[in-house]
Amino acid sequence: MPARKREYDEDDVRIRPGRSSRPRTRTRPKHDDAVDALVITVDRGRYGCVREDGGGTEVITAMRARELGRKSVVVGDRVALVGDSSGAAGTLARIVRISERTSVLRRTADDDDTTPEGRLERVVVANADQLVIVSALSDPPPRTGFIDRCLVAAYDADIEPLLCLTKADLAGPEQVLGYYAELDLPHVLVRPGSDLDELRGRLAGRISVLVGHSGVGKSTLVNRLVPDALRAVGVVSAIGKGRHTSTSAVALRLPPVGKSRKDPGWIIDTPGIRSFGLAHVSAESLLHGFPDLVEGTLEDQPNCGHTAADGDCRLDAWVAEGKADERRLVSYRRLLSSRAGEGDVRDNIAEEV
């Protein structure tokens, strides 16, 4: 008797799901065991970090996790690390989280906002509390144009400025301080061989960014504040090709003073930053660096650009009445012109005091 042919039904059919129908999830690991750390240097995709929980002082080499996407990591960022966080040679951790930044110090590549390069914003450092503007009183003479730019950048980032005047043995600070008298700008004077107690007191418990032109004594100041700065830079530079370039920022832990248990703070040396392009700062925000001129603009027409071409600008009368220094108005208008791309007005040709 011939075998009976089997009849199939739908239960016998197996359907393989297509790729597009496979379930997907955006669930990411929580990384509850991640270690909190501070980024102290960045070098070609490798990040030098130190633990913030007191679990060690070794520099941990880390890379950015793919799950962070295109989020940038800069010096000063507080991050979470997974993987090998021992800091031993040849080990590598991963940065899986970036904490919300309390402040962001930015600069623009150039002051010309008519070109893509001129509109390019660059984050200098994150989470800084203070911007220390280092300027010599002589050799080279102080450049108020550079100081003004730094002040605008600091106020725009909501960072407190501190003016550090070096080489006070060669010239007095009266002219510079007089120029900024209306701002009540905090300052410290530094002489060769003088103690740095006042400066250390202002740095304690903070993350401070140091900026200054070549020759003003910033490197000497850093080496005095952190006696083993050169050795520390050598350690953190080893995460890349073993060199510390003049375009990279590095955070250095200040040594404790005596037996004090107070946090001595951090300084971030920025050897490659000699100017701040301000194209990313609006014309109105530029006034943040000139609070002595703000009241003089209140009676202006809403569309007044406050430039020399605005014949009815109230600022001219404000200065004529002795309510502000004329040099301050000149500096403000210089920045306005530079931001608009009118001429090549750079910090290295700023007028001297």
Side-chain angles (χ1 to χ4, degrees), residues 24-352:
R24 302 186 65 181
T25 177
R26 290 185 177 273
T27 303
R28 296 288 186 267
K30 294 184 178 180
H31 299 301
D32 294 329
D33 58 342
V35 174
D36 293 331
L38 176 72
V39 178
I40 63 172
T41 191
V42 177
D43 189 357
R44 287 158 289 188
R46 292 292 183 267
Y47 305 89
C49 309
V50 293
R51 297 180 61 150
E52 290 201 288
D53 58 3
T57 58
E58 296 82 4
V59 178
I60 304 167
T61 303
M63 61 181 295
R64 186 175 56 190
R66 182 177 298 178
E67 61 201 72
L68 292 179
R70 303 183 65 178
K71 292 182 179 179
S72 63
V73 181
V74 300
V75 171
D77 267 327
R78 292 184 170 92
V79 298
L81 303 177
V82 298
D84 194 331
S85 58
S86 66
T91 61
L92 188 65
R94 284 189 301 129
I95 298 175
V96 294
R97 282 196 302 273
I98 305 172
S99 299
E100 184 177 355
R101 294 165 174 170
T102 58
S103 67
V104 180
L105 182 63
R106 296 182 174 90
R107 69 183 179 97
T108 312
D110 196 6
D111 278 345
D112 184 2
D113 61 2
T114 63
T115 64
E117 294 78 10
R119 292 190 298 269
L120 180 62
E121 291 183 27
R122 295 174 180 171
V123 176
V124 181
V125 296
N127 301 316
D129 305 303
Q130 186 170 234
L131 180 64
V132 181
I133 308 164
V134 183
S135 175
L137 288 170
S138 181
D139 191 28
R143 297 176 176 178
T144 55
F146 173 75
I147 296 174
D148 287 344
R149 285 174 175 269
C150 292
L151 289 175
V152 170
Y155 293 139
D156 183 66
D158 198 20
I159 299 174
E160 294 183 19
L162 173 64
L163 184 58
C164 180
L165 299 173
T166 62
K167 304 184 182 182
D169 57 318
L170 300 179
E174 293 78 17
Q175 283 187 299
V176 177
L177 298 182
Y179 181 75
Y180 294 104
E182 299 297 326
L183 275 66
D184 194 23
L185 181 63
H187 71 278
V188 293
L189 299 178
V190 177
R191 298 176 177 83
S194 64
D195 65 64
L196 301 177
D197 293 345
E198 183 180 2
L199 178 58
R200 290 184 185 277
R202 292 183 178 274
L203 299 176
R206 297 184 171 191
I207 296 179
S208 302
V209 186
L210 272 66
V211 295
H213 276 295
S214 177
V216 299
K218 182 168 65 66
S219 296
T220 300
L221 188 62
V222 169
N223 288 327
R224 289 186 62 191
L225 290 169
V226 187
D228 58 349
L230 294 178
R231 183 179 63 81
V233 168
V235 171
V236 299
S237 297
I239 66 173
K241 299 295 183 179
R243 65 185 180 92
H244 176 64
T245 67
S246 61
T247 58
S248 60
V250 59
L252 300 168
R253 180 75 167 177
L254 290 166
V257 179
K259 297 181 179 180
S260 175
R261 295 185 178 181
K262 186 178 180 180
D263 176 17
W266 289 82
I267 57 173
I268 300 179
D269 188 16
T270 55
I273 299 174
R274 299 179 179 87
S275 65
F276 278 93
L278 300 175
H280 66 284
V281 181
S282 67
E284 293 75 16
S285 294
L286 280 177
L287 275 173
H288 293 168
F290 301 85
D292 48 327
L293 299 178
V294 172
E295 190 174 347
T297 66
L298 299 182
E299 299 178 5
D300 271 331
Q301 297 296 322
N303 60 347
C304 181
H306 309 310
T307 67
D310 294 285
D312 296 330
C313 181
R314 174 62 181 147
L315 288 178
D316 293 288
W318 184 258
V319 169
E321 295 168 5
K323 296 180 179 180
D325 192 316
E326 182 181 6
R327 294 172 299 176
R328 297 282 291 159
L329 178 57
V330 171
S331 183
Y332 173 56
R333 285 176 170 168
R334 181 192 300 127
L335 293 182
L336 284 175
S337 297
S338 179
R339 182 190 174 278
E342 298 173 3
D344 186 15
V345 188
R346 301 292 183 88
D347 295 322
N348 60 344
I349 59 171
E351 292 184 3
E352 301 170 1

